[in-house]
Amino acid sequence: MNQTHRGKKPGTQRREHAMTQPSPEAADGHESGPSFVVGIGGSAGGLEAFSSFFEAMPPDTGMAFVVIQHMDPDRKGVIAQLLQKHTPMPVTQATDGLRTQPNQVYVIPPNCDLSILRGTLHLMEMIEPRGQRLPVDYFFRQLAADAGDRAIGVIMSGMGTDGTQGMRSLKEHFGLVVVQDPQSAKYDSMPRSAIATDLVDFVAPPPELAARIADYSRRSVHLPIPEHPAIVTGGDPLQKVFVLLRNRTGHDFTLYKRNTIDRRLARRMGIHRIDDLAHYVRYLQENNAELDLLSKELLIGVTQFFRDPEAFTALKERLLSRLTANGPEGSPFRAWVAGCSTGEEAYSVAITVQECQAALPAGADMNCQIFATDLDKVAIENARRGLFPPNILADLSEERLQRFFRREGDNYGVRKNIRDKIVFAPQDVIMHPPFTKLDLICCRNLLIYLVPELQQRLLSMFHYALNPGGLLFLGSAETIGARADLFATLDSKWRIYERRATSSARRSLPEMPVVPAIRASERSYPNSVLLREKEMAPDPVGRLLAELYAPPSVVVTPQGDVVFVHGRTGKYLELPAGKTNMNLYAMAREGLRLELNRAVRQAAVQPEEIRVELADFEVDGHPQPVTIIVRRIDQLQTMQGLVLITFEDPSSLVGAATATRRRRRRLKGKDSEAETSLKKELEQTSDLLQSTMEQMASVQEELTSTNEEMQSANEELQSTNEELATTNAELESKVSELSVAHDDLTNLMNSAEIATIFVDGGFHIKRFTAEVTHLVNLIPADVGRPLSHVMTNLVNCDLDERAREVVRTLVHREEHVESKDGRWYLLRIHPYRTRNDVIAGAVLTFTDITTIKQLERSLRDSEQGAQEAMTYAENIVATVREPLLILDSTFRVVSANRSYYQFFRAAPEETEGRLLSEIGGGQWHNRLLEQQLETVLPGHTEITGFVLDFDSAPTGRRKLILNARRVRNKHLSQDLILLAMEAKDENGAS
């Protein structure tokens, strides 16, 4: 299949070769090349893992190793020199055109991608921006296409998810994928991402990985694949594998191509070091986990976004022309993606349809429904989530990524407008009825794994399911084969076909469920089994004797359906004109039908044989005798319940003709008139009975036709029921998700303890929390009532009026409201917005702020008390005759009394707010005084009688007697120092 690194993103496609199938050298094993090519991916921190891996790897395995590491593009690569210290194998940096050799290690150079074609390495220009480069994914994809089942992928320690998508390609091409145990990895992101796909063959630390890969290579090269006949016998161990798988999973894998089954089994056996298929059967019987892994291996759940981008471009052109011709007003567009795996292809189809819809004339609205099904229920669950790793950057253009996906952490999620187009459901396309009335069926890379007979049956089913002119989209390696009568080719390169109109006036549904082909007569009689010729004639000699001497015979069901014909029965049976009818009574010649009907019905209920002798049976206008022997078959287990009819010609027996003539003469001589009358009456009765039987046969044929139409209608109803069941499963999944989301929301609201009311666009109550019932008189029965009809415990607060104003202006509102019990609440009202940004009501929340209100009141009371205390203190200070200063903790003047200003003849603006050392011309600057003041506040001490010499023009030379103490008040934010002074002259007079 074509491998393209990116979608139609301009300037980001690598210059690379196209691989359609593994090369002949790959298929033959590269006789002169390595037995396996091992790709080892990791990030720059994986050197330790690489080293321990190669230390444990034997140097003579015959394999070639290619190391793909995330490296700084601006630094010289030294990984080859570092790894050479840990292995005797030659380690070289890869160069363009270098052919891989056994027992050698190749390392990717910096700032390039590495590809491989026919065993030769090719360097590719890396043009993606840093942060979006995925060299491991790229090499794994190329390795899968080139080496097929000789490819081994190893994912080591590394950051990100690089390698996960490439690993899927390896699995699709029968390669082996192993992963380092995350617990042993320095960086476990790459290993864990790979393990999450459930496609990994085994997980182990690097040394054990090396040992198991070496053992796998030795065993796989010499593993004998048993030959399996087209029809297996009960003793075949492969058939036992199928039985175990069916019992475990309910799926029948016998219809898968034998080559695919053999290669998958050989890989699993090689992993477990089992050389004999019978031993592997025993291992499966003892290990249900291995049965699960084997079934996943056979289901081949490998896909990617826009696989073969040019094919999707061609599909888009066909769909667009079809939608433009039909117009948007037609019936809904319906598509079915069969074998969708984890959903990438289904989402690709949905995106393509969405892009087609965007290209339709303005205003066109097209209803689209896409059904996506797969056997693997786990894959369906992953597809439903619509969450994909960053590796999808390699398959999607930047425009599609931005338009149809959203970033969710490290992953990308499909947007709702695309997700809602698809219904995911588990379905077995082989056994379950199809969807019907479809415009598109996408079944890519599924048919190639099925036997040709089953492919033809599925194509017939697809033809039935499609509308006239509907499109069938197959994989690049698939074709319609011999069913050109059902489909016309629209694009032979990209396998796009159109449903042809059939000649039948009525659409016929293929037989469902699809099982290995059986005869029509066997379906009519469920107790019968397939009659093999070897059971009728066990050997060639016996068959020849039976043909020469055994009389002509037929085997029928009790209803007359022919199961087996032996010998030449043309004298007695012939095909009727018109529609083919293999019923004994329709094929019997004139004169035999009535006797055969009677004898068969009689033989079905009694063990003895019934003999019917007819003397005047006409053949080509000549009467001749015939003996019919009818007996029920009870001897053979495989034929029990059937009836054997033998036609004997008495003329071939000795004396038979003479005896017949004598009998006729004797009967003729004894005929009387009464006997003649009775004969005539009997003939009339026989004719009447014959006529009645013909009418019954005609009625039966009409009933059969009606029954077929009813069956067809029933199948369509069954298909519709299947669609309804699918839709119901999808709805159940959504209901489950909504239930979880509802529980999460309820727990969040209850834990937040915020009183909340939700109202709809008509301002009717939709929902409320229990906390709001203390403020608004609500009970559960009030849901649906208008908000204006509800009584509240709030003071002067009309909730309905406020909610309407918010919805009208689209401006949220906040205010403090008081309840009748004296509590305060912060009322917030916001518009209720849906995901589509539609205003659908309002949300009212009440947050209790009573404590905050009490704190505000206390703060106001404190401020008022402090102001009163300050005024009180100032009045006291103003009346004191001695000069006073009030200082803060930094000795800055807070205030001074009137006596101070009069004594020192100073002004307030020269004093207040200044440091004590800065006033009075600097005479207050006294180090001893400052040391004493420093002890007043922290030490709760007082200064008494401190003498300070003071000389100024207003006061003259004076001695100041200073006293200081701490001032405290509960309303003041800090403690202050009260400094009082008494002035004395040189004689000591005050």
Side-chain angles (χ1 to χ4, degrees), residues 428-674:
D428 187 343
V429 69
I430 300 174
M431 303 297 294
H432 295 164
F435 299 94
T436 57
K437 300 179 181 179
L438 302 169
D439 299 288
L440 170 67
I441 292 179
C442 178
C443 182
R444 311 189 72 223
N445 302 308
L446 172 62
L447 298 181
I448 57 175
Y449 299 109
L450 306 177
V451 296
E453 178 189 358
L454 184 55
Q455 292 181 15
Q456 302 307 309
R457 288 174 178 258
L458 288 182
L459 288 172
S460 298
M461 184 182 70
F462 291 159
H463 180 270
Y464 168 82
L466 283 170
N467 287 327
L471 300 181
L472 175 63
F473 187 29
L474 300 180
S476 58
E478 299 168 329
T479 65
I480 58 173
R483 300 322 304 262
D485 59 322
L486 301 181
F487 296 96
T489 303
L490 297 182
D491 192 320
S492 59
K493 180 179 180 181
W494 298 119
R495 305 299 193 265
I496 301 176
Y497 304 92
E498 183 180 42
R499 180 189 186 273
R500 291 183 187 271
T502 58
S503 57
S504 174
R506 178 173 55 85
R507 295 167 67 186
S508 60
L509 179 67
E511 298 168 16
M512 297 297 294
V514 178
V515 295
I518 58 177
R519 298 175 179 173
S521 58
E522 186 178 352
R523 291 191 299 272
S524 303
Y525 186 57
N527 290 332
S528 65
V529 294
L530 186 62
L531 298 179
R532 298 183 176 87
E533 289 188 8
K534 65 180 181 180
E535 294 174 347
M536 303 299 292
D539 54 61
V541 175
R543 186 182 301 114
L544 179 59
L545 291 174
E547 291 177 355
L548 292 176
Y549 299 105
S553 307
V554 294
V555 178
V556 300
T557 68
Q559 291 77 25
D561 293 330
V562 177
V563 176
F564 189 86
V565 178
H566 172 75
R568 298 184 178 183
T569 59
K571 285 185 180 182
Y572 317 106
L573 306 177
E574 65 177 351
L575 285 175
K579 183 179 179 181
T580 301
N581 191 345
M582 297 297 291
N583 188 273
L584 175 68
Y585 310 125
M587 298 170 62
R589 288 183 179 271
E590 189 70 25
L592 292 181
R593 188 174 303 147
L594 181 62
E595 296 296 340
L596 286 174
N597 190 353
R598 180 186 61 79
V600 170
R601 284 189 287 107
Q602 186 177 354
V605 296
Q606 71 179 43
E608 297 83 7
E609 70 175 31
I610 294 93
R611 297 180 66 89
V612 179
E613 294 186 1
L614 298 177
D616 298 321
F617 172 64
E618 291 189 1
V619 179
D620 298 329
H622 302 287
Q624 72 174 51
V626 62
T627 300
I628 304 174
I629 303 173
V630 183
R631 66 171 63 90
R632 190 178 67 197
I633 302 175
D634 296 322
Q635 294 84 358
L636 297 177
Q637 180 69 26
T638 57
M639 300 171 60
Q640 279 188 352
L642 300 181
V643 177
L644 174 64
I645 302 173
T646 303
F647 300 95
E648 291 184 353
D649 186 356
S651 62
S652 62
L653 302 177
V654 178
T658 303
T660 301
R661 286 194 296 270
R662 289 176 179 174
R663 185 168 57 252
R664 284 182 179 178
R665 286 195 298 269
R666 185 171 58 252
L667 291 174
K668 186 175 181 181
K670 294 182 180 180
D671 280 345
S672 63
E673 292 183 2

Side-chain angles (χ1 to χ4, degrees), residues 882-883 903-904 955 958-961 981-985 988-990:
E882 289 81 5
F903 182 80
F904 291 99
T955 63
R958 299 282 185 119
K959 290 186 180 293
L960 297 180
I961 308 301
M981 58 201 73
E982 179 183 357
K984 293 187 178 182
D985 56 16
S990 300

Side-chain angles (χ1 to χ4, degrees), residues 862 866 870 967-976:
S862 298
M870 184 63 70
V967 178
R968 301 191 64 185
N969 189 286
K970 66 178 181 178
H971 298 294
L972 297 178
S973 59
Q974 60 176 338
D975 292 344
L976 301 176

Side-chain angles (χ1 to χ4, degrees), residues 658-725:
T658 303
T660 301
R661 286 194 296 270
R662 289 176 179 174
R663 185 168 57 252
R664 284 182 179 178
R665 286 195 298 269
R666 185 171 58 252
L667 291 174
K668 186 175 181 181
K670 294 182 180 180
D671 280 345
S672 63
E673 292 183 2
E675 291 173 341
T676 302
S677 176
L678 288 173
K679 281 185 178 182
K680 186 176 295 186
E681 185 178 350
L682 180 60
E683 290 176 358
Q684 292 175 353
T685 304
S686 178
D687 293 339
L688 178 61
L689 181 59
Q690 178 67 28
S691 176
T692 304
M693 289 180 62
E694 290 176 354
Q695 291 178 3
M696 289 180 61
S698 177
V699 172
Q700 183 179 6
E701 187 173 345
E702 291 179 2
L703 290 175
T704 301
S705 177
T706 303
N707 182 56
E708 290 176 354
E709 293 178 1
M710 294 295 293
Q711 286 181 351
S712 177
N714 181 63
E715 292 293 349
E716 292 196 11
L717 289 175
Q718 187 175 359
S719 176
T720 303
N721 183 60
E722 182 75 16
E723 295 177 17
L724 291 175

